[in-house]
Amino acid sequence: MTEPTRQTHGSPAERAWVEHSQRVFDIAYRLTGSITEAEDIVQETSMRLMTADFDSIDDVLGWLVTVSSRLSVDRLRL
């Protein structure tokens, strides 16, 4: 049986998001303790990635971790 091939279409930002979105959720959930809050943070992080200047991001995973962590902390401050 052959393994399914990963889709390679889409922008570099979309491909990076597919690769790292679960980690963003995991971080947001661990920090907030809420699935609902984590899902909101995932959406916000995704929107920020899609509108960012992707070519200027050297470390996409680091960028996503930073953004999702800061959004999570901001939610906790409310």
Side-chain angles (χ1 to χ4, degrees):
M1 183 181 278
T2 61
E3 290 193 28
T5 57
R6 293 189 88 170
Q7 295 180 354
T8 57
H9 64 279
S11 70
E14 291 169 335
R15 289 192 304 268
W17 181 250
V18 168
E19 182 178 351
H20 300 300
S21 60
Q22 183 61 50
R23 182 158 308 175
V24 170
F25 177 83
D26 293 345
I27 290 166
Y29 179 70
R30 283 186 203 130
L31 288 170
T32 64
S34 165
I35 291 173
T36 304
E37 291 290 336
E39 289 171 343
D40 289 347
I41 291 164
V42 166
Q43 286 292 332
E44 179 66 25
T45 304
S46 172
M47 288 189 300
R48 290 184 184 203
L49 178 63
M50 297 308 156
T51 58
D53 179 10
F54 188 78
D55 293 332
S56 70
I57 300 173
D58 293 327
D59 178 6
V60 177
L61 180 56
W63 188 92
L64 290 169
V65 167
T66 300
V67 170
S68 60
S69 297
R70 289 179 180 173
L71 289 171
S72 297
V73 170
D74 286 347
R75 293 284 176 118
L76 293 172
R77 288 184 182 156
L78 294 178

